[in-house]
């Protein structure tokens, strides 16, 4: 029992570290897109959703609050609840993801509805919902709170253990 719990906490820490490193490096989340039918080669198509600037974050948080559901509740949905959520809120989900794709001030206002429509018709609903959940998890700053606290407590001017004798 103890070994299982230890493994679960290790994987949870690894997932949090991966999310944090992805956010720091701003690699983005890749969303697979269905290729158009007239394309002869079935090459993988995709779009990358990167971390938006503060204005984009404000738009995303407004749309997220309009959903009226927390991320924890969405993770615990059954299949039927998930289908009901997608049926009721599918348009809002696509607009939320589109806010992260086109996050500029002018481009976000002009192209958000068009990109959301394109996402609804070219991206599988499971990928779209997972992209929304990953975006909301990446924007959560609780993972960094312990790092920030430890960095604040560390004194940069003191000697480290390896530099005790030489002082270099």
């Amino acid at each position: 029992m103890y070994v299982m719990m230890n493994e679960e906490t290790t994987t949870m820490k690894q997932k949090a570290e991966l999310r944090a490193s992805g956010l720091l490096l701003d690699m983005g989340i890749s969303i697979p897109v269905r290729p158009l039918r007239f394309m002869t080669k079935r090459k993988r198509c995709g779009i990358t959703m990167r971390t938006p600037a503060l204005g984009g974050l404000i738009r995303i948080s407004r749309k997220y609050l309009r959903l009226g559901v927390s991320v924890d509740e969405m993770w615990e949905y059954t299949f039927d609840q998930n289908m009901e959520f997608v049926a009721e809120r599918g348009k809002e989900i696509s607009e939320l993801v589109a806010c992260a794709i086109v996050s500029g001030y002018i481009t976000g206002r002009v192209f958000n509805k068009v990109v959301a429509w394109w996402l609804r018709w070219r991206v599988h609903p499971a990928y779209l919902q997972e992209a929304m959940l990953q975006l909301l998890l990446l924007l959560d700053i609780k993972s960094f709170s312990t790092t920030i606290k430890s960095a604040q407590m560390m004194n940069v001017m003191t000697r480290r253990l390896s530099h005790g004798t030489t002082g270099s």
Side-chain angles (χ1 to χ4, degrees), residues 118-155:
W118 182 75
L119 287 172
R120 282 193 299 271
W121 289 101
R122 301 307 308 164
V123 177
H124 193 275
Y127 290 130
L128 195 60
Q129 190 171 11
E130 185 66 26
M132 179 196 65
L133 289 172
Q134 290 300 320
L135 172 69
L136 294 174
L137 287 175
L138 280 175
L139 298 179
D140 187 19
I141 60 168
K142 287 184 182 180
S143 303
F144 296 109
S145 63
T146 56
T147 307
I148 292 170
K149 287 179 185 176
S150 66
Q152 287 175 345
M153 294 178 68
M154 185 174 34
N155 187 358

Side-chain angles (χ1 to χ4, degrees), residues 63 67 85-99 112-113 115-117 119-120 128 132:
K63 290 189 182 294
L67 286 176
F85 179 72
V86 169
E88 290 176 0
R89 303 288 187 180
K91 187 174 182 178
E92 286 89 355
I93 292 170
S94 63
E95 288 177 0
L96 196 135
V97 174
C99 281
N112 190 19
K113 300 283 185 185
V115 172
W117 174 84
L119 287 172
R120 282 193 299 271
L128 195 60
M132 179 196 65

Side-chain angles (χ1 to χ4, degrees), residues 19-52:
R19 278 191 234 125
S21 65
L23 183 63
L24 287 174
L25 296 175
D26 196 29
M27 293 171 43
I29 300 169
S30 179
I31 304 171
V33 177
R34 293 180 188 152
L36 297 173
R37 291 182 188 236
F38 62 83
M39 295 177 134
T40 56
K41 294 182 181 179
R42 294 286 178 168
K43 198 167 86 172
R44 281 190 141 176
C45 298
I47 191 164
T48 302
M49 180 176 61
R50 301 196 188 281
T51 306

Side-chain angles (χ1 to χ4, degrees), residues 45-106:
C45 298
I47 191 164
T48 302
M49 180 176 61
R50 301 196 188 281
T51 306
L54 182 61
L57 290 176
I58 293 170
R59 282 187 194 148
I60 289 171
S61 46
R62 283 183 186 153
K63 290 189 182 294
Y64 168 68
L65 292 174
R66 278 189 227 139
L67 286 176
V69 180
S70 70
V71 177
D72 296 332
E73 291 174 7
M74 286 188 264
W75 278 110
E76 296 175 3
Y77 277 173
T78 63
F79 178 76
D80 293 332
Q81 290 172 331
N82 203 11
M83 292 302 287
E84 183 179 335
F85 179 72
V86 169
E88 290 176 0
R89 303 288 187 180
K91 187 174 182 178
E92 286 89 355
I93 292 170
S94 63
E95 288 177 0
L96 196 135
V97 174
C99 281
I101 293 171
V102 285
S103 61
Y105 177 72
I106 296 173

